[in-house]
Every structure is written in structure tokens, then in C-alpha cells.
Amino acid sequence: MNYRHAFHAGNFADILKHLVLAKCVEHLNAKPKPYRYIDTHSGIGGYDLAGDEAARSPEWKDGIGRLINAELPDAVESLLAPYLGIIRDMNEGDTLRHYPGSPEIATRLMREGDRLHLCELHPQDSETLDARYKRDKRVKVEQRDGYKALKSLVPPPEKRGLVLIDPPFEDKDELAHMAEAVMAALDKWPTGTFVFWRSLKNLWAADRFDNGLAEWLISEKQLAPEKILRADLWIRDLASEGKLAGAGVVVINPPWTLEEKLTAGLPWIADTLAQGDGYGWRVDGALTDEDLEDLAD
Ligand SMILES: C[S@@+](CC[C@H](N)C(=O)[O-])C[C@H]1O[C@@H](n2cnc3c(N)ncnc32)[C@H](O)[C@@H]1O
């Protein structure tokens, strides 16, 4: 386990993942009934953008650094409000030093009666995470394999909630592990909201994964197609050499307004975060019956 999120915190991929997470939590807050947030790969909860790792790999400068003080069109403001609000609260004035990890976004938006279960396998990171939240009675931190934990954590007693699966992709079979974990968890908890992050090295590989999962969900689980949403962002041509150029999220049982909000806000975000020609974005719901037939051919 060599992956350290501190090198990447606040980059374009974090922005898309974290804004979607904040929107899903905001949606759950719309009803008074308590809910649970499960983070299978939590990281350390917060990142110092002036720290060693961020200094060596300042990806945040072309990520959150470009957004935080920008003048936002209304559609973008509405999409980013809960996410940027947290970052502003964590920092003084216009200076950007602290960036929230997924557990911090969740803890800051969730209410007193809601609960969080955070898994982090790396011993030191898990200790850091535990220390960060040990006074927060809503939070349980476990040093445990998030995929294995997920099986025993769903359905949560509250029956409402959200799972974030955000692995480091160090393992070449990570997509398969992720699909397996989601399928097993959905079997036990078909109404939970699941957000999972995946890199976008090429549209074809991502399509194969997304379509395979969508096909299983629709045909085996009778999930309505509109219950699957995918959003991707790429900041330069995906075929270009070098660092990660694209990433996205797949959301199962998404808030019903999310697709429309992402479609309205992502074009501006893509323009603002672009680092070269060939950048882009896409937001789409699940496959139609026709797509599935094409896929089967
Ligand atoms: C991409 S980072 C998570 C970032 C975090 N979700 C966020 O958005 O702030 C992935 C994390 O998963 C941890 N990890 C790797 N394999 C794991 C596993 N099987 N179970 C739980 N955590 C794992 C890594 O140590 C790393 O901290």
C-alpha cells in the first residue's frame, strides 16, 4: 500500500468526487430520519496543502486552486455550494491551506443523529483518521479492508444512507473488486446510495465496466435505469502521456436532481480546469434497452 492521497488532494478528480459526495449528503439531509455514511477507503480526513506531499506534487493548484476564488455562474454555484462552503469554513480569508477528505465532507454536513463508519486499511493513516474523529460520537473508525467490511455493514440499522467506495487503484483488478463489492452490498441493501470513483484512462475501458454493471443492475436486480448515473471529467486528451487525465464517479440510487445539476455545472468546471486540448465531460444515466441490445451483439 504505497498510495498516499496527500499527493493528489484537491486535484480535478477530487473535485468531481467530493462535490458529488456533498450533493448526496445534502440530499439525505432533506429528510429528518437519521442515516449512515460508510466510507470504505477513507484516507486521513484532511490534507495540508502546504505540507511536504502537496508541495512535491501541487496538483491542487490546478484543481481546487482554480475554483476557490473564481466567480461562479449560478448553475455552478448551486452545484458546488455545500462542497465549497466546507473548504471556505476550513480556511481563513482567501488563503487555501486545508483541504477536506471525504470523511470531513461527510462529518461537516451530517447531523447529530446521523452515523459514520470509516474504514482505512493503512495502519498509520487509520491512526491519523481515528485521532481526528475520536471526539466525534457519531464516527466509528476501523482499520479494516473496506470491501470486506462493507458486506457486514449493510444494510445499516437506519436503512437510509450512502456508501463511498474510493480505492487507490494500485491493484490491476481493482475494478473487478469494486464491482464485486457493490453487487454483494446491493444484494443486501438495494435502496442504499452508492458512489464509486474510478479513473478514466480511456472511455472504452470505463464504458465496459459501467455498462457491465448497469446491465447486471437492470437485468438481474430490476433496478430502474434512471437509478444509475455516471459523471466523468477529463482535463486533457485521454490519450496524452503523463499524469491522470480523467476520472469519474458512478452513482447508484442518486438524488433525483443530481443528473440535471451536474449537466448544468460541469461544462464550466471542465473549461476552468482544462489543462490542454481534448478536455471534456459527460453525464449520463444508465443504458437504455437499445444500448443493452447493442452490447449483447
Ligand atoms: C483514494 S484514497 C481515499 C481518499 C478519500 N476517500 C477522500 O476522498 O478523501 C484511498 C485510501 O484507501 C486506503 N486503502 C487501500 N486499500 C484499502 C482497503 N482494501 N480497505 C480500506 N482502505 C484501503 C489507502 O490507504 C488510501 O488512504
Side-chain angles (χ1 to χ4, degrees):
M1 284 203 305
N2 295 318
Y3 180 90
R4 320 298 291 159
H5 195 66
F7 287 103
H8 311 290
N11 70 3
F12 78 96
D14 254 9
I15 291 174
L16 178 57
K17 166 181 68 189
H18 288 158
L19 77 87
V20 166
L21 169 63
K23 283 315 241 187
C24 290
V25 174
E26 188 186 53
H27 181 76
L28 284 162
N29 286 344
K31 286 194 185 148
K33 205 167 169 265
Y35 62 91
R36 187 161 298 220
Y37 170 68
I38 299 167
D39 200 328
T40 58
H41 297 70
S42 296
I44 58 175
Y47 299 90
D48 180 2
L49 299 178
D52 276 357
E53 293 95 338
R56 276 159 57 200
S57 167
E59 293 178 23
W60 67 271
K61 288 191 179 167
D62 286 320
I64 191 59
R66 290 194 191 179
L67 281 193
I68 191 72
N69 295 318
E71 204 168 303
L72 307 177
D74 288 349
V76 181
E77 178 71 49
S78 140
L79 178 66
L80 294 182
Y83 163 63
L84 288 186
I86 290 169
I87 300 172
R88 291 196 181 110
D89 286 349
M90 290 173 74
N91 289 282
E92 269 170 44
D94 285 349
T95 315
L96 185 58
R97 168 140 197 202
H98 304 288
Y99 184 79
S102 49
E104 188 69 17
I105 290 173
T107 48
R108 284 185 179 247
L109 292 175
M110 289 170 69
R111 307 153 309 178
E112 209 183 327
D114 302 322
R115 293 287 175 269
L116 297 92
H117 201 114
L118 311 177
C119 297
E120 169 55 51
L121 193 56
H122 191 286
Q124 199 184 326
D125 287 359
S126 166
E127 219 174 275
T128 307
L129 188 69
D130 197 36
R132 188 176 181 102
Y133 296 113
K134 71 168 179 277
R135 276 190 289 276
D136 190 332
K137 299 245 176 323
R138 302 170 302 168
V139 179
K140 181 168 171 58
V141 173
E142 269 197 299
Q143 192 210 329
R144 189 172 172 197
D145 179 336
Y147 291 130
K148 289 198 182 121
L150 184 59
K151 277 192 199 149
S152 58
L153 294 175
V154 296
E158 296 83 2
K159 304 279 192 283
R160 299 180 72 215
L162 169 66
V163 177
L164 174 68
I165 304 180
D166 180 24
F169 281 86
E170 287 179 311
D171 183 334
K172 66 176 175 36
D173 295 325
E174 193 80 64
L175 276 176
H177 296 320
M178 196 153 78
E180 227 174 87
V182 173
M183 287 176 180
L186 261 162
D187 257 342
K188 293 176 71 183
W189 190 28
T191 55
T193 294
F194 292 78
V195 176
F196 44 96
W197 185 92
R198 47 143 187 66
S199 59
L200 189 66
K201 300 227 166 91
N202 68 63
L203 296 179
W204 178 81
D207 281 349
R208 266 180 65 98
F209 170 74
D210 301 345
N211 294 350
L213 188 64
E215 191 182 357
W216 178 80
L217 288 166
I218 295 166
S219 56
E220 298 287 320
K221 297 285 128 197
Q222 282 78 49
L223 201 78
E226 66 273 17
K227 299 283 174 97
I228 310 164
L229 173 67
R230 137 175 107 175
D232 284 316
L233 175 64
W234 54 102
I235 52 172
R236 66 184 103 79
D237 194 326
L238 286 170
S240 61
E241 299 284 319
K243 286 188 174 165
L244 185 70
V249 290
V250 177
V251 189
I252 299 170
N253 294 320
W256 63 276
T257 53
L258 189 59
E259 181 172 356
E260 191 189 323
K261 290 209 158 119
L262 283 169
T263 306
L266 271 187
W268 183 91
I269 294 176
D271 285 347
T272 306
L273 300 182
Q275 292 183 28
D277 292 341
Y279 71 90
W281 63 278
R282 66 179 176 184
V283 175
D284 45 14
L287 305 177
T288 60
D289 287 345
E290 230 165 69
D291 293 329
L292 290 172
E293 272 163 31
D294 285 350
L295 209 69
D297 289 342

